[in-house]
Every structure is written in structure tokens, then in C-alpha cells.
Amino acid sequence: MKHIITGGAGFIGSHLVETLLKNKSNKIIIIDNFSTGNRDNLKNFNDKIHIIKKDISIKGKWMDVLKSADYVYHLAALADIVPSIENPKKYFQSNVTGTLNVILGCVGSKKLKKLIYTASSSCYGLPNSFPTDENSSIDNRYPYATTKYLGEKLIVDLCSIYNIPYFSLRLFNVYGTRSRTSGTYGAVFGVFLAQKLAGKPFTVVGNGKQTRDFTYVSDVVDAIILASFSKYKNLILNIASGKSVSVNKLVSLLGGPTINIPRRPGEPDCTWGNISLAKKKLRWKPKISIEKGVETILSNIDYWKKAPVWNPRSIKKATSLWFKYLR
């Protein structure tokens, strides 16, 4: 089977590549512009994959290769809140125009069995009910969330028109080894791990009682693969751990001193995904507890040595637009 992965050099993408390669008959093609993806994520299997270095937001011959795929996994996207506020056009081009180009590249394929899109649970904004299910209100609070949701709308609407079987998987707070170490202030794990390595206190937002549905990357990859081979099609599913863990609990597992910084507007007190539909349709369930996930990360913590070390002052500067524009 030929599997094409956009964003295959990224955090989730590289884990998907690694898992698919366990079947030696699989042929893997990666499309990535390496703006956020890391070539080192692929170093252990470079000789087993083919890489096409292209920006999916720009139409080109790279789109033709999509018609030769049995499965297309569209993971390429720009993430993080503040950069999306600073440059919404760039996010629209990557997350919306890029998704449109992927769909158009698949149109007319006689081989394609499934197009898998990794959507974001950020589309729920500040949810009113927990655990939050797929029928909950859409409440996009910042450009990243909006562009990822628009990408999902394109998948749902255009794939229906062009008869492309799809799944859209709304991912909740994915963490694990090989997560990004860019200079952008973002996901809590990357921030905390760099601080731990540097012997600095964890910068806990607010009182730390806010909870998140932390989902380990291998569980996400399992769901992606099960969706691709599923007899079902054309579904939107939450992919989450099904549990909500406080930031204070995370800090206790990581171990280290803390310092509190101001709460931020537009952030939910809780993220907690209802995964009953994914369990039913995919016969999938998460396997990695937060305790096991943190243990695995700590055993590989050197990966974050080059990540920026954030402190209250640098965070305040980096998130100034967050406070200015979000509600």
C-alpha cells in the first residue's frame, strides 16, 4: 500500500511514519516544507521513505502524486495561538488553502481508499458541556482554531461532492516524544520540559486547577490508522484520552518548583473529549495513562535541550497580543 503523509516530518506525522513502516510492504511518501517539521524526526528511517519537499499551500506537480496513493493522511498545518493572531493570512494559506490543494489533488483518484484529516478540538472554544461530544457548538476563539475548522469544513463538503472517503479526527491536547521545540510559545509540555532541563520553575497559568485532556501521541496514531482501514467513512470523531487532568497534577508528575503567571482570556477551564463514538466506530480506545506518558517523556527529555526556556517576563512579552485581542 502507498501511504502519503503531509507534514510527515512533524510530531504526529513522524510517529505515524514509524508505525506504518512496521509493515515492510508499505511505501511511505512524505510531503513537507520543513517549516516546523524536523528532519531529525525521520533520521532512523530515511532510507525507507521518499520525501517531497514542497509547500502544500502552493499548487504544483506535487499534487499529482496524491492520485497514486491508497491512503492520504493530511497532517500538515501551522499551530499555536499567538502566531496565528500575528499572521492570520499565513495560517489561512497553510491550513485552509493547503487543505484545499490536498483535496483537489485527490479528486479523480481511482485508488484512494481514505483521506484522513487531523482537525483540532480547539473548534469547541469554551465548551458548555463535558465530556464534549462531536455535536457540541463550534466556538472558534482565535485564527488557528478558525483555520483548522475551515479545513475540516472543506474536507466534509468537498469530499462529499467529489466522492472522496474521509475521516476528520478532532485531536485533544496531543503530547509525547518528538513534540515541537520551536521558538514559539505554545504547548504546555514543551514549555515545562525545557524549564525542567534548565532547572527553572514551571510557569503555571492561573492557579493550575484548569484541566486538559492530554492524549498520548501513540494513541492518536492508532486512531488514525484504524480510521484509514475502517469500513466506515465520512465521519467526524473526537480523539482524546477520555480523561481530564489538572495542570497541577501534571506538575506533580514532572516534579519541580512552580511560579504562577496570569490567566489568559479565551482559554477553557477544561478540555475533555467524549470518545464514545470513536470507540464504537473504530473499536479504538486510548492505552497510555498520563502517568505512563509522562514517564516515557522524562526518559527522553534530552530531546528538548534546544527548546527555548520561558520565564514570566518572556511569556508576558510573547503573549501580549493574546491579552490584547482574545476574550
Side-chain angles (χ1 to χ4, degrees):
M1 294 292 180
K2 182 184 286 187
H3 304 262
I4 296 180
I5 306 169
T6 70
F11 166 37
I12 301 173
S14 63
H15 281 278
L16 177 60
V17 170
E18 185 174 17
T19 302
L20 288 172
L21 283 174
K22 291 178 181 179
N23 184 337
K24 295 182 180 179
S25 64
N26 283 336
K27 181 178 181 180
I28 311 294
I29 296 175
I30 290 170
I31 302 173
D32 204 308
N33 67 352
F34 296 95
S35 61
T36 57
N38 188 341
R39 287 188 180 272
D40 284 346
N41 288 342
L42 305 172
K43 64 183 179 181
N44 292 330
F45 24 87
N46 258 327
D47 58 335
K48 301 175 183 177
I49 58 178
H50 178 65
I51 298 174
I52 299 173
K53 186 180 179 182
K54 291 293 179 182
D55 183 341
I56 63 167
S57 70
I58 302 172
K59 285 186 175 181
K61 291 185 177 180
W62 65 267
M63 295 167 65
D64 296 336
V65 75
L66 296 171
K67 290 182 175 62
S68 67
D70 293 283
Y71 302 94
V72 173
Y73 307 88
H74 179 33
L75 280 63
L78 290 177
D80 293 325
I81 295 174
V82 174
S84 77
I85 300 172
E86 295 171 335
N87 198 338
K89 181 179 178 180
K90 183 178 181 181
Y91 272 68
F92 188 93
Q93 290 170 334
S94 174
N95 299 352
V96 184
T97 304
T99 299
L100 176 61
N101 288 339
V102 169
I103 296 169
L104 294 178
C106 294
V107 171
S109 172
K110 296 180 180 179
K111 287 190 64 180
L112 186 62
K113 298 174 178 63
K114 205 74 63 68
L115 169 58
I116 308 296
Y117 175 70
T118 49
S120 172
S121 62
S122 62
C123 67
Y124 297 124
L126 305 180
N128 295 316
S129 61
F130 302 98
T132 307
D133 66 28
E134 293 85 352
N135 294 318
S136 298
S137 299
I138 300 302
D139 179 28
N140 294 306
R141 294 266 166 168
Y142 38 84
Y144 165 69
T146 299
T147 57
K148 285 298 290 179
Y149 180 67
L150 288 174
E152 180 182 85
K153 285 291 292 176
L154 285 173
I155 291 286
V156 172
D157 294 347
L158 297 190
C159 286
S160 297
I161 292 170
Y162 295 119
N163 196 30
I164 300 171
Y166 71 85
F167 266 89
S168 182
L169 307 179
R170 293 177 177 170
L171 309 184
F172 280 72
N173 303 94
V174 186
Y175 74 104
T177 56
R178 299 204 291 267
S179 62
R180 286 181 301 108
T181 59
S182 68
T184 300
Y185 180 72
V188 64
F189 269 93
V191 173
F192 281 1
L193 292 169
Q195 290 168 341
K196 184 174 179 66
L197 280 167
K200 302 296 182 180
F202 300 126
T203 47
V204 174
V205 175
N207 59 18
K209 293 182 180 180
Q210 66 272 30
T211 62
R212 296 290 180 264
D213 195 329
F214 294 115
T215 314
Y216 197 74
V217 63
S218 62
D219 286 330
V220 170
V221 168
D222 286 347
I224 291 171
I225 293 174
L226 285 170
S228 66
F229 293 115
S230 171
K231 66 179 180 180
Y232 295 102
K233 62 181 180 179
N234 303 351
L235 292 174
I236 297 172
L237 301 177
N238 286 338
I239 301 300
S241 73
K243 297 179 180 179
S244 199
V245 176
S246 73
V247 173
N248 288 335
K249 169 71 172 179
L250 173 60
V251 164
S252 71
L253 292 172
L254 289 171
T258 64
I259 186 171
N260 295 89
I261 60 176
R263 285 195 60 178
R264 298 185 287 247
E267 281 197 322
D269 291 328
C270 172
T271 66
W272 179 13
N274 186 324
I275 55 176
S276 58
L277 191 58
K279 287 181 175 180
K280 179 180 178 181
K281 297 296 185 181
L282 303 182
R283 295 191 176 182
W284 164 88
K285 64 178 180 179
K287 302 172 184 174
I288 307 298
S289 67
I290 187 66
E291 291 81 7
K292 179 63 177 177
V294 170
E295 179 185 343
T296 302
I297 279 183
L298 289 177
S299 66
N300 294 274
I301 195 171
D302 285 351
Y303 180 86
W304 285 270
K305 277 186 175 179
K306 296 181 180 180
V309 180
W310 295 92
N311 59 50
R313 179 177 295 180
S314 61
I315 292 172
K316 181 179 181 180
K317 181 178 180 181
T319 59
S320 60
L321 290 182
W322 195 324
F323 285 89
K324 181 176 180 179
Y325 290 112
L326 299 189
R327 61 194 192 282

